[in-house]
Amino acid sequence: MENKRIAESELIINSRGAVYHLDVRPEELAHTIITVGDPDRVPAVTKHFDKIEHKSQHREFVTHTGYIGNKRLSVVSTGIGTDNIDIVLNELDALVNIDFQTRLVKDQLTSLQVIRLGTSGALQDSIPVDSFVVSSHGLGLDNLMAYYAFENTTEEKQLLEAFRGQVMLQPGGANPCLFTAGEDLRQRFTDGFHTGITVTCPGFYAPQGRMLRGQLSNPNLIDNLTGFSYEGHRITNFEMETSAIYGMGRVLGHQCLSVSAIVANRIRQEFSKDGGAAVEALIQKGLGIIATL
Ligand code: R1P
Ligand code: URA
């Protein structure tokens, strides 16, 4: 593809020389990045750092960059949902792979490590609240990835075909997409983690089978997802970002992993007595691994 200068309307750089939504400059970003949904979770992660060299905030996007020992890390909050992941992953990629002076894609591309430390609801009785899940795959029921061209692997195509055959989605609903975790990262997160397919939803209530008032268009969603099985793969949990992180990682060439603290169990109908403690435990366990990547 021709390396054309990217116009001011497409890659927006502010007066500080920083990318539009994140308000981060290229030199302010590490190449190993932890994403969290909640902006308040950024300082909850970086309080464990030995040194913080950069802090910025614009809208819901808080960024801290610093060190644990010699390992340079950035922590970025994404807010909620796959629409925000579209913004965050494109801007993180631009910060390393586009020259902000010439507005040209660099000759040498950088592959980032992106690790989500989030919260989630379990879809299996055997995955209790306060436990941790690593997403082997992200299965999107939103429509973000329909806007991008990408290739699925043979295994991903088989899993998607099995999903379409077993899980009845509401008429006019999403065209599901599925992407695999970064294998090198996943292999580092094994001891003390459940592993399975994570379903990413375009909402917290009806899109995750929750109804406070009103009626669900698809009352069988949870049962269908819990019962899904294909060659040893099962669906472990629901949340709102993973498939988009994995999908954008595929499109842009980054290594991605999503790890969740289970705060709700939808089968047992339980919620964590102390979700904050579960997230803190995930942060400590996650940082122990991430600092050695
Ligand atoms: C919903 O409460 C939010 O929590 C989960 C979902 O993915 C969604 O963003 O993750 P975070 O706790 O990381 O935000
Ligand atoms: N986040 C979600 O998206 N769903 C849950 O049930 C819990 C956390």
Side-chain angles (χ1 to χ4, degrees):
M1 222 166 65
E2 192 196 346
N3 197 359
K4 258 181 52 187
R5 181 181 183 279
I6 299 170
E8 277 72 3
S9 58
E10 314 301 297
L11 171 62
I12 302 155
I13 299 173
N14 68 21
S15 57
R16 216 172 68 75
V19 70
Y20 185 47
H21 294 93
L22 298 187
D23 190 18
V24 172
R25 291 200 296 233
E27 68 274 18
E28 293 166 347
L29 186 74
H31 291 183
T32 299
I33 297 158
I34 296 168
T35 67
V36 297
D38 180 355
D40 287 343
R41 203 177 298 149
V42 174
V45 175
T46 59
K47 73 175 187 230
H48 297 289
F49 281 20
D50 296 316
K51 179 180 160 200
I52 301 174
E53 63 179 20
H54 168 78
K55 287 186 183 185
S56 55
Q57 168 157 24
H58 182 225
R59 299 183 183 237
E60 60 266 62
F61 308 112
V62 174
T63 302
H64 290 184
T65 295
Y67 287 86
I68 297 180
N70 291 327
K71 180 76 181 174
R72 189 168 184 244
L73 299 167
S74 289
V75 187
V76 180
S77 60
T78 64
I80 289 179
T82 59
D83 48 353
N84 277 18
I85 297 302
D86 174 61
I87 289 172
V88 172
L89 268 285
N90 272 295
E91 294 193 3
L92 292 177
D93 178 75
L95 284 165
V96 292
N97 286 325
I98 299 173
D99 184 321
F100 274 29
Q101 305 304 319
T102 63
R103 294 179 162 274
L104 294 171
V105 174
K106 293 179 182 172
D107 293 333
Q108 290 289 325
L109 295 180
T110 297
S111 180
L112 297 168
Q113 291 177 313
V114 179
I115 300 121
R116 168 183 178 270
L117 295 181
T119 64
S120 183
L123 285 164
Q124 300 292 339
D125 188 55
S126 56
I127 300 182
V129 292
D130 303 332
S131 66
F132 306 142
V133 170
V134 169
S135 304
S136 61
H137 304 79
L139 194 155
L141 299 183
D142 64 321
N143 276 322
L144 173 68
M145 295 313 296
Y147 292 87
Y148 290 89
F150 58 82
E151 288 289 329
N152 273 127
T153 65
T154 304
E155 191 220 33
E156 289 169 348
K157 286 179 189 162
Q158 288 166 347
L159 268 170
L160 262 178
E161 196 181 314
F163 181 83
R164 288 201 186 92
Q166 292 181 40
V167 177
M168 185 80 79
L169 294 176
Q170 63 283 9
N175 184 20
C177 65
L178 181 137
F179 299 94
T180 312
E183 185 55 21
D184 291 351
L185 287 176
R186 195 177 70 82
Q187 281 183 7
R188 302 295 294 272
F189 286 76
T190 48
D191 290 348
F193 296 94
H194 299 274
T195 302
I197 300 170
T198 295
V199 170
T200 297
C201 302
F204 185 81
Y205 288 96
Q208 294 185 24
R210 280 190 178 92
M211 185 49 69
L212 307 184
R213 289 193 339 102
Q215 285 192 341
L216 295 170
S217 69
N218 184 8
N220 298 323
L221 180 66
I222 289 187
D223 284 352
N224 269 205
L225 294 175
T226 302
F228 173 83
S229 168
Y230 177 74
E231 299 207 336
H233 294 284
R234 64 179 183 158
I235 293 169
T236 41
N237 58 315
F238 260 158
E239 51 70 83
M240 298 178 63
E241 291 85 22
T242 297
S243 66
I245 294 173
Y246 287 7
M248 294 304 300
R250 174 70 49 83
V251 168
L252 298 170
H254 303 297
Q255 295 296 309
C256 302
L257 191 74
S258 174
V259 190
S260 298
I262 296 299
V263 293
N265 183 296
R266 304 298 305 289
I267 310 307
R268 298 188 194 179
Q269 300 207 317
E270 291 171 0
F271 196 80
S272 171
K273 300 270 185 296
D274 190 348
V279 170
E280 175 60 26
L282 178 67
I283 290 169
Q284 289 189 23
K285 191 171 169 65
L287 284 179
I289 300 167
I290 294 165
T292 66
L293 290 175

